[in-house]
Amino acid sequence: MVRLPGRTGTRSARRSDGRRPQLAPGPGRRARERAERRRPAPGAETTGLRAAMRGRSVAGQVFVLQVVVVLLLVVASVVALVLQVRSDRRQEARDRSLAVAEAFANAPGTREALAAPDPTAVLQPRAEAARRGAHVDFVVVMNTEGIRYTHPRPDRIGKKFVGTIKPALAGHAVVEEVNGTIGRLVQAVVPVEAPDGKVVGLVSAGITTRNVGGLADRQLPVVLGAAAVGLALATAGTALVSRRLLRQTHGLGPGEMTRMYEHHDAVLHSVREGVIIVGADGELLLANDEAHRLLGLPEDAEQRHVLDLGLDPNTAGLLASGRIATDEVHLVGDRLLAINQRPTDLDGGPSGSVATLRDSTELRTLSGRAEEAREHLSLLYDAGVGVGTTLDVTRTAEELVEVAVPRFADFATVDLYDTVLAGEDPEPGAVLRRTAYGGIREDVPLYPVGEQIRLIASSPQAHSLRTRRPVLEPRLEAAPGWRAQDFERADQVLEYGIHSLITVPVRAGSLVLGLVSFWRSRKKEPFDAGELALAEELVARAAVSIDNARRYTREHGLAVTLQRSLLPRSLPEQDALDIAYRYLPAQSGVGGDWFDVLPLSGARVALVVGDVVGHGLHAAATMGRLRTAVSNFSALDLPPEELLGLLDELVVRIDQDERADSAGVPVTGATCLYAIYDPVSRRCAVARAGHPPPAVIAPDGGVVFPDVPAGPPLGLGGLPFETAELELAEGSRLVLYTDGLVEDRERDIDTGLEELRTALASAGESPEETCRAVLDARLPFRPSDDIALLVARTRALGPERVAEWDVPDDPAAVADVRAAVSRRLDLWGLQELTFTTELILSELVTNAIRYGAEPIRVRVLRDRALVCEVFDGSNTSPHLRYAASTDEGGRGLFLVAQMAERWGTRYTPTGKVIWAEQPLPLPAPDGDRAG
């Protein structure tokens, strides 16, 4: 029988369910029953404890011994503290009295006071002040004969000093303890010396010992109280320990406990589970019979190091390390052992570890299958989470490869139809394109990404596409159909080590989008039927994401095409502005951003930038409606604030119509900025409806954001808009943009405007360079919202290309106007237009004189066309009509419309302007165009 050295107690016999185990018949059980009978009843437990405290048991003796030890320690501590306090009190009295005496003896004026006619009058106040400040009982000044000059009690002045003064007369300090008139005290006597070293007087300071160390006296009761509390706590703790010891022994005698231990030892060796106890130094302390059998231990294994028992290195290393292990499986011989190991010192036991060994050879096969199933479920879960994170077909295929390699296959490839990559339905029979590849190495001789693959009918991939079922080729060297696809490449693949293949079609409903191939090289075993089913499930989950990405690609392409078709395809020809623009769609979805350039009468140009809130086809369609409306409203030559007012009413009507239609999506709002630039006056009228402010780059490179009233967004209805007038120097750049350029989820608009200012300040002079600099500063981040950017550099229509005349309210003035215009056209080299221009101006000026109001003014502009404008102060507008054969008038505007390319009316704050444009003759001489 093997015994555990150093063990004299027993473990608790209570099981985890709270019931006590039933012991086998024998001495152990009988001893336990006697212990149960002797165990005190709940009501008698206190009586048993009192008996134990009286020393009738080991627990009681331990209790008494510990109480005595604690009491002795407390008494010794208090006595030592009292003695230490007394010693410290004497030393402090000696130090303080000596320091005060020396300080007073060497104080300025003490020596001179001794030589004064009345030393007491001078020294008594000083001595008392020093005594109170130093907290001593007296400071006495005396002559060399010991007669006092000072004393706390005035009646003692003039009397002989009580103490030793002889050493002080020799120039030495004296410290002594005496029984003075005020009690037991410590006093110091020091000499007062003249500059030549002669002693001219003495100073004594003293303090009674009861006045020193008061703090220690006050602390002594606290110390005694703490000692009493400590004694009480120690006694209570000892009582608890003794009580627990009494409960654990159950009142058993030594013989009964020995028999119980022997019974437990017998049970230890009869269980069908190995038990091993190893010491802290790796020495085997105990091994039951089952452990000997499972591990094949020698008979003398106990007291030997576990590394010297001939065990396999892994098992011996685990037992020697003492680390915690739970069902750790080790192969020992032909047995598969599940080992559980725990340290023995968790509850205050001796250092070491205890291990249990269970033969689980029969569970080996089942556990392997369970682990494989768990790994397959984990793979499918990861595929569901990691595949399809984006709506990009190629990226989704790459994610499938990343999940499959290397957990399922050593190499994986995804081949899709080109039409699928473009977002369209697959075309069966078309070529496939290698879309994604992943593997444990990069030098594999498979088709690279981007390669077009034409499959022959005998290949397993073609068979898989044709039957819409997965195909397993466990041995590629024995697959002639696969080798026939490309004999040279097939030999390279086999030489590389790839030996097994699974190919699975990518099916989405009734469509086959392509196929996925899984290749194995490292593992010697080929793919099996279980892995074929796993591959099919894996591809089926990924196929849904690939098809979703394909559908999104198609819808996104349609939306982007619609959106781009609604934006300007080219800019109109005009000479007032040099313009460059950029349009970037959002990363996902399409938005409602738009811009436009609209030539107006009088060589003016209108610039517009807008943004419909939201994304999708509805936002793009709404954007197209608003852009068309702005183009139509601009033909009315309205001021910016009036045009925005009409646009606001349109958005309100659109919103109302959409709300009335339950299938429609209401417009949630839109913003717009509208600007009109006049190259003659170099002034720009700007109004905005909830849109970011424009930026102006001066010719010297300075960047400002002019103060343009924001105005409410479009669609609120009934709120006014304001127009700001900007005067732009020739060569200035006006920058218009949508909020996607300066605002997103990660930054506010103030930060975006400051970044835009920095980019504009470092941009080149041309509009094209400005656009490039702004987008380079914004990218490579893909925008979460659409970005529209419009940069216009201003030109000026100089005085040499403008002619103006004031016209008096007199029909005779028409002839003067014709003559002046004729001279100006001769100067510009436009003699060919003289007749038609005179005719047009004659009709327009005559109408202004006859139907308009003063002041009347004529202006002729030489731009891309010859523009004739007649200003007057009335708001009445002429109308084109067909005159009857009997009418005397009414044919003037008809003639103007026939002679001019375009004509129209625009209103000003002081009246109206009737204008007409004629195309310039081509080619125009360069010298004449220069004026």
Side-chain angles (χ1 to χ4, degrees), residues 158 201 207 455 459 511 539 543 582 610 678 693 809 837 865:
I207 184 172
L455 300 175
S459 66
L511 302 178
V539 175
R582 293 289 189 277
D678 188 348
D809 189 10
T837 304

Side-chain angles (χ1 to χ4, degrees), residues 371-381 408 530-531 534:
E371 178 64 22
E372 182 180 0
R374 187 197 63 80
E375 178 61 27
H376 288 177
L377 290 176
S378 176
L379 178 64
L380 293 176
Y381 173 79
F408 177 69
E531 290 169 320
L534 175 62

Side-chain angles (χ1 to χ4, degrees), residues 329-337 359-371:
V329 179
H330 287 256
L331 182 62
V332 179
D334 58 348
R335 293 186 178 93
L336 196 66
L337 302 183
D359 191 352
S360 59
T361 305
E362 297 177 356
L363 300 177
R364 184 176 186 179
T365 303
L366 294 178
S367 63
R369 293 177 180 176
E371 178 64 22

Side-chain angles (χ1 to χ4, degrees), residues 319-363:
L319 297 177
S321 67
R323 63 180 174 85
I324 295 177
T326 301
D327 288 336
E328 189 169 311
V329 179
H330 287 256
L331 182 62
V332 179
D334 58 348
R335 293 186 178 93
L336 196 66
L337 302 183
I339 301 177
N340 291 273
Q341 183 167 269
R342 295 292 184 273
T344 58
D345 57 355
L346 294 180
D347 296 326
S351 299
S353 61
V354 57
T356 61
L357 302 90
R358 186 175 65 255
D359 191 352
S360 59
T361 305
E362 297 177 356
L363 300 177

Side-chain angles (χ1 to χ4, degrees), residues 591-594 608-614 618-627 630 644 647-652 654-655 666-673 688-692 710-717 721 738-739:
D593 293 15
W594 91 92
V608 59
V609 174
D611 182 8
V612 176
V613 177
H618 184 270
T622 303
M623 174 268 288
R625 298 168 71 177
L626 296 182
R627 177 173 175 254
V630 171
L644 291 181
L647 200 62
D648 181 51
E649 294 179 5
L650 175 62
V651 173
V652 171
I654 293 176
D655 200 5
V667 177
T668 57
T671 65
C672 183
L673 185 147
R688 61 189 180 114
H691 203 79
L714 300 176
L716 297 182
F721 300 95
T738 54
D739 60 354

Side-chain angles (χ1 to χ4, degrees), residues 117-135:
D118 187 2
T120 298
V122 178
L123 294 175
Q124 177 68 9
R126 297 181 182 179
E128 288 302 295
R131 178 182 66 83
R132 289 188 295 269
H135 301 289

